[in-house]
Every structure is written in structure tokens, then in C-alpha cells.
Amino acid sequence: MRLIDLSVPVATGMPVYPGDPRVAIAPALSVAADGVNVLHLDMGSQSGTHVDAPFHIDDALPTLDRLPLERFWGGAVVVDARGAEPRTPLGPSLFEGRLRPGAIVLVATGWSRHWGHDDYLAHPYLAPEAAELLVDAGIRTVGIDALSVDATPADDLPAHRILCGAHAVIAENLTGLDLLNDAQTAGEPIEVSLLPLRLPAADGAPVRAVARVG
């Protein structure tokens, strides 16, 4: 059994979705002056590797603390989309025959290799038909190694609306999914933790995403 970190590091100036709060981290207390080291963190709820609650796109939908913990922890299925071109929709054919109800579906686009560069915004994304297929298959947690399950920038968020409308959880800015794809190909079982910060009435929260393989 081994653990694989699926999270990007949280750092000052890290990439964020256009318009989201910038991330800034600085010392608040120091051992020399205060006897302890403490950091001051400024960041948004959607910073770095994070999960979206349905409330993210609709005030009438559940907030983060209203969701069962089972949405954030469980067996995973990796869908290999690494051949997709920039800014292309990922259609339902990519997912057909690969899903099992209740699984966490992780979409491996390979786009995490562009983290920190302008190309990161040109990621592939879920076609609405693919989001509908996932919901109809009983999937309630979907993760992707890209900035969003929708295009960036976007006038609308159809994949978000379909998934969140089914009270699903969306994890974004994952990394390391190529390693999970290799493990899955080798027949190894994969369990994923996407447990967020416990923020009451929140639209989402950063997570330390980790996979247990084998």
C-alpha cells in the first residue's frame, strides 16, 4: 500500500480562477519575537486543490457542511483523457462502460503539467452530455486535474450546474492522476480522500487530496 499526494502546494501568487481572491501567505508570529511560528493566510474557498459544494452555483443547493462525508472519501475510477486537445469538451463516450455507482470519478487530462503557466487555462473540460451521463450512472463525486470541469473562462457553467444540481461534489486542481491511471492499469485498487476544511455554510474549501493505492 502506498499514499499519493494529489494536491498542489499552497503558496503566495499561486494560480487561481480568473476573478477569485489571490493567495498570500506571510509570517504572523515568529519564534524570535513571539515564542512561536504562525502563518497568516489570505485565500479564497476555491484556492488550489479544492472541492465545490452545490451551493457554489446556486443559493438553493446544499452548502459544504450539508453533504455526507461519503461524498469525499471512497473507491475511485480514473478516466484517461490525456489525449484531449486544448479547450476541447470531453464527451460521454470517454466514460461509457467505465463507471460504477458511488465511485469517485477522477478525470486525468494531464493538464496539471501546465500548473503555474498560461496554458493551464486552456484545459479540456466536461461536455454537458458527459456530466449528464455521470449523474445518470449514480456518480456524485467528480475530480479533474484542471482548473475547472467547465471551460475557462466561461459565460456559463453547464457541467457545474448538472453535477451540482444532483448534489454532487466537484474536485478541481488535482495533480498526480497519471500515477493513479498507471496503478489502475496495473489492477491496483484506489481509494481517495478529498476531505475539506470544515467551513460552515461554505461554497467549497481547500483539501489535501490523497490517494491510497494497493
Side-chain angles (χ1 to χ4, degrees):
M1 186 273 289
R2 64 189 188 279
L3 298 179
I4 298 175
D5 197 339
L6 307 179
S7 312
V8 297
V10 178
T12 297
M14 66 190 288
V16 297
Y17 192 85
D20 275 14
R22 305 296 296 177
V23 176
I25 302 174
L29 303 175
S30 69
V31 169
D34 309 290
V36 292
N37 288 317
V38 175
L39 289 175
H40 179 96
L41 310 179
D42 280 320
M43 58 193 300
S45 57
Q46 306 279 322
S47 298
T49 304
H50 67 274
V51 291
D52 296 352
F55 180 72
H56 180 48
I57 54 93
D58 191 325
D59 288 345
L61 292 175
T63 54
L64 191 64
D65 53 341
R66 299 287 300 277
L67 297 171
L69 287 176
E70 288 79 8
R71 289 281 199 278
F72 308 100
W73 191 342
V77 172
V78 184
V79 175
D80 190 355
R82 290 177 293 178
E85 296 294 324
R87 300 191 187 279
T88 57
L90 305 173
S93 62
L94 190 68
F95 301 88
E96 290 171 348
R98 305 185 183 188
L99 308 177
R100 62 175 186 270
I104 294 175
V105 172
L106 303 175
V107 185
T109 68
W111 228 252
S112 58
R113 69 184 183 276
H114 298 300
W115 177 255
H117 302 279
D118 291 343
D119 288 345
Y120 193 62
L121 275 65
H123 58 85
Y125 55 92
L126 293 184
E129 297 82 4
E132 291 279 10
L133 176 70
L134 290 165
V135 167
D136 291 344
I139 303 302
R140 292 298 180 268
T141 308
V142 179
I144 193 167
D145 55 353
L147 190 56
S148 175
V149 293
D150 284 295
T152 304
D155 295 328
D156 192 17
L157 301 170
H160 275 84
R161 296 193 182 282
I162 292 164
L163 294 170
C164 290
H167 296 190
V169 167
I170 301 169
E172 294 164 327
N173 290 327
L174 294 168
T175 190
L177 297 191
D178 53 335
L179 298 176
L180 297 193
N181 187 72
D182 292 344
Q184 180 176 267
T185 301
E188 296 183 271
I190 301 169
E191 185 179 47
V192 173
S193 169
L194 303 169
L195 293 170
L197 296 176
R198 191 173 183 179
L199 298 178
D203 59 281
V207 306
R208 181 69 179 267
V210 176
R212 183 169 66 180
V213 176

